[in-house]
Amino acid sequence: MDSKTMEDIDEALCIAICNLSHLHDADEMLKYLDLKVKQEGDKVAETVDRTFDELITSLLSRKRKLCAELVKSINNYSAGIAKAKEVIEEKKKCLIGAIRIAKELKITPSVRTYCDLAQVIYNLKLPVEAELSRVSGLKEKVSPRFFLNTDEITSLLKNLGKIEWGTTGHEDSGQHTLILDDKEEMPGCDSQSSVENMFPALSRESKIKALGNKLSVHKEVKNTQVQETLLMLRHQSTPALFKSPSSPDVIIEEILEDDLEKFPTEYHADEQRKKLFKKETPFQHKAGSTELVFVSHVINPCHFYIRRYSQKKEAGILEKKLKNFCCNKSSYLLPSDVLELGARTFIKSKETGMWCRGTITELIPLKSKNERKHCGPIRYKVCDIALLEVFLIDFGSSIVLIFSGYVPAERPEPATLQTIETDDICLFVRKPDQHIEAELAAVPPLAVQCSLKDVVPKNASEGWGEEAKTKFLGMVNNKVVLMTIFREEDGVLIVDLKKPPFNKISSNMPVSLKDALVFLDLARFRSQLPSQLENNTILQYCPPKIPQEREEVSVVVCHVNSPSDFYLQLRGSLDSLDLPKKIQEVYKHEYGKNLEIVCPVEGQACIAKQEDGNWYRAQIIGLPSCQEVMVKYVDFGNIANLTLKDIRRVKKEFLSFPEKAIRCRLAFIEPYKGANEWNREAKERFEEMTEDKLMLCSVVEILDNNILSVELSDSSAVHGRSFSINCQLVKEDLASYIPGYAESTVVRPNEIWDVPLEDIPESSEALNPIDMEYVDEGDFKSLSKKELQVRISHVVSPSKIFIQWLSSESILKSLQEKMATIYKESQPQSMKWEDSMHCAVYVRDLKQWQRGQISRIVSETSAEVILYDSGAEKTVDISCLRKLEENMKIIRTLAIECSLADIRPTGGSTQWTATVCECLSYYLTGAQVKIMIQESDVACALPVKILCKDETGQLIDISEHLIKKGLAFRNRRTDKAGVACSVSKEHLKVHLEQENTQLDGCNSETRAKTSAAPEENITVSESEQKSLKTYKALLHSGMDEIYKSPIIPEAKIFQAVVSCVGRDGTIYIIPKSFEIELNKLMTEIQSNFKCLGLLEPYCWKKGEACVVRGSDTMWYRGKVVEPGGSTLQVQYIDHGCIERIPQCHLYPTTLYTAVPPFCIPCQLYKTVPIGNFWQQDAVDCLQELLTNEEVEIHVQELPDNPWGKLSISLYFGGMSLSSFMAYQKYCVAEDCQDISELELLEGDIPVPPSYVLPPLPIPGDTFPVRVTHLVSPKEVYICLDPSTNRVKQSATEGDANCDSELESLDEALKWCNRSVESFPFLTHFRTEMPCLVEYQDGLWYRAKLLSVEEFDPVKILVQFVDYGSFSVVPTSRLRHIPYHLLKYPVQAVRALLAGFKPALYDKNVKRIPYCPEWSVEALWAMMECVEGKQLSASILALSPEVTISLYEDDQNLVHMKLIEMGLAELDE
């Protein structure tokens, strides 16, 4: 072909390819248009739905308004009818009365003298036109009707809205726009060209390109794609809807504004700002209503904003909508966009990053643009704005947006939440479109402005201070509070904020916020005069007397927070007893209430109540809430939170005394290893060493605020010398010396001794040396011969005196107050009162309710009762009795019966004369005295000596005083004990029916003691060493008649469980066959016996049957072994054990007498203890070995007495107990056939010896070894060559009597693994205790216990002695080790390697936790050097620790490889 043809073809090809490309593009465009129009169609459909929904909402809203208007009209009309009825009825009554009088006058003319005839005629002629006109006016009103031209509206609705397709005017675009048929401009928008209206995307792009180079606000302009398709739906304006020729009968209200051009610009701006803050309140605020709210913003207590808790979900939805809209680029502002004052906008909070709705409240333009029009709204383009302030309508706060380079003339108001400086407004502001505005129009502003009711600033001239706002925020910030609405004023709610009912008591939210601000002196009530708020002088105590530096004083530690923060009192300050007594006298009585503090002030001295019910001097140090104060007790140092009712104003007479508590810290020490705070163990140990002791205090330094840095010393009766508490805490690893301090020897007194608690005078009841609980439940014998402070509550005779511990006075007062509350309004009960019933008694002469028990029914209307909190007996009317509440029975008896010791009546009589009784009652009743408990062998009234002051103030002994006055004789007490028990047991009979404790199958008889001769003396002789016969008689005294003797199984050999071992070596067993019956009996006792224990004093005797509440709170059958004091020795008859039990946990009755005791007392057959009785160490061994263990019993000989001991042979683990005890040298057994086998077959010993160490070669010799365990590169466990070890062992242990089958340790362990199931588990754990431990491979190895690592469940740290390794195992993998295994020496020996030390510059970061000087890399390297290799060693030293040199096969030192690797250094 020629060239021309080729050119034509090429040209045609180019055209074709180009056309094809266009077709492809057109095809793609069609696909795009198809997809795009569907998407935009969906959007238009959504917009149509939303628009018509809004229209429907508007119609429904109009409907609701019309209905409300109708209801209001009907109500007004009905009110008019009701008023007319009232007027007519009044008129009718008046006329009827006048007519009646007129008729009487006609019938009886004589009545005229009593009536005003002229007035009667006037009343008859009264007109009724006014009433009739009122009715006519109501009648003229037309009935309500509703007008609505539905036809017109229906026709309008049929053609409402229009969808049009029109060209965009863009060349070859082929696109169309969907619009509604409305061409009107939107109000408030600047007029723009039709091109911009038709093509907003195009004009937007042109604006960006035009302004990109000339405006400094936009430093970079990103390429913006021209949207080729835009679907826009615009609202048709509402007025246009109703501008049809024939408008409907419904009147549509429109807001018409006057022409604003005639007003100045400033007035126009102010009017607009006022409109901004006129908020619609969507909720009806009813006075007195309450709701839960959050406080969102606070300007001052009279101007703050809240958000309703009920709108929390609505707020979350709003936040999501705003976030979705503002993330869309179409919402971005352009420099040419216009912002108008009062317009809605969206702004981003810089602090929370959340988009918020707001109203523009301030617009400040740049200076060059600061020229406003003389009329119209305030509006500026974005590019001309210098400062923008937006009020957040959902929070109540404001955000100020300052554009860079602008310096405002004045800073924003304090109400502004935050200020943002920016170069780009688009980062923080969005302009809402019509759709989002319509969507959010239904959501009202969430922030509601409020003000606290009737409070104003304390100083009106200064206004609200910053402190008031801070306190306000502190009380309500981040809390849900209860808002009470009182009224609404100008759109502001007048409210009070309160603590919600579900809030915790510990919350600092007050009951009333306005009261709290007044209470905190930050505000005042409107009605309160400023003169009432003038501060009075705050009363304060004198500071404590502080010793000088280097001075040594005697002190008592009175309160401990930690060793670095505690309080002490000088010994001299404890001598003043009058001050606390006077305080109690003044403040415990009713007139102390006149000293109440209404408005406490921080720092104010006061008198405060303590938990014990007494009053002490204190100082207010905090005001946590409006009804609560924090006080510090200035004489003790402790702090408490109290209510206002528990504090009183201090009288000036108590201010003169200086504070007694001196704040201190221990010198030279700090928390252990520099910790930030003291641990609990250190605090408890410090309290233990200082509690209730007289200490010697050496003042080291006086710190700031008069805090003493001291060293405390205590005298030890054990060591006979004083020791420093400071140093002791360091020695026990509970504290460390401060850096730079070296322990020095402090010169201290030669002797410091603890003062007994009773010798410390009572400065207050907080220091009362004898606590009531301790005395009531402890042993009275431990308190004998000690002076105890008590109060005499009632006196019958010298043999019957009732006392109360001083510390029980607060309990008694609280009890009486509680009873007064319960029974004050109660009415007499119609119930049958019987003897011994517990009751509440109203004592008329004291005007008090007290607990009591009916001792005798005198008549149908009176009864004799004993008040067991005072001991008095009274005869009262039945109407004064009430049933005692169950919770009142729990509180123990507060009166204790005593008798004067060592005296008896004169004249040979056993009865005290009335003169003595009356004299004693007159002088002692109600007096505070000291008693000394005397020793006694009988369990009746507590024998005491009573010491009280005479007229001269000297202490006298009442017993000696009666003897001196000839009113009593001294009692001769040569082996005689007065057993005069003045309270008959008939007086204390227990009626279980009254306690609702019907016991099926129980014999609940209570034995009554005859009181015919209460003063009869009985001689009771006892030797110090009781014979076995006497002891047996004691154990079953009185029991053989009540309970049957134990049943011994018929089988000669049976299994049993050892329940306990007595102090005399008696072994108590429960046969296994009895266990089911015993459990059944215990279940029945718990379900049937329900009682609080004995509340009143009771005279117990030896051998008496009882029911015992054990430490596990279960009830058991028991008997009294030894009475005395407030606790008795009681034996559990079904278990054999003996315990000391408080009387309040006992009940004198029998249960199930037909069921014999289940435990059998036993003794070993033909076994004689060393010294003819079991020594204490032998008893301890038996208890540890047998308690709760299952054993085999061989009955050898029955007892002569059914209550005697059964002679048995006992086998445990297949071994005879007699043989074992004989082998341990505790006894001599006539029949110990298996004692020769103990060395090999003993399976369990209570205190096994330690393992035997292997004999070590002579230092300097080289011997083969294996490393079995590495602790660190320098600490290893080695095992000597077995052959060498065996030779040494055989030479050393040649005399051992070993079985030939157990020639080596390996064979012995194999035998143990085969028989391990027969070895018992370990139940007692001691450090270094040998045992068998199961390893991970399932085999058992020798080991020893090191420590308890965990307690729940229990896990023990053990060491395998033949390998040196450690493991933490549960108790299920621990068993007793057979005795013969202990004869083999341990195989692993701990040794230290010599010749090297850790590298100084080891760069490995990972260290061994328990040995941080070595790196983990060094440990791994050493393991590679020694693991599985046969090495040799040479001993360098045997003490203090075994030190060796370790060699490889080539005789090179093992540690040289670590040195070559740089992990260690040579140690010369």
Side-chain angles (χ1 to χ4, degrees), residues 939-941 979 981 983 985 988 1009 1097-1101 1104 1143:
C940 52
V979 292
C981 299
V983 179
K985 285 192 181 180
L988 301 173
K1009 177 188 167 193
Y1098 185 76
C1099 186
W1100 294 93
K1101 70 177 183 180
E1104 185 171 359
Q1143 289 193 25

Side-chain angles (χ1 to χ4, degrees), residues 1080-1091:
K1080 185 178 179 181
L1081 174 68
M1082 289 299 298
T1083 302
E1084 290 185 8
I1085 291 175
Q1086 308 317 310
S1087 60
N1088 293 329
F1089 190 83
K1090 299 184 185 301
C1091 184

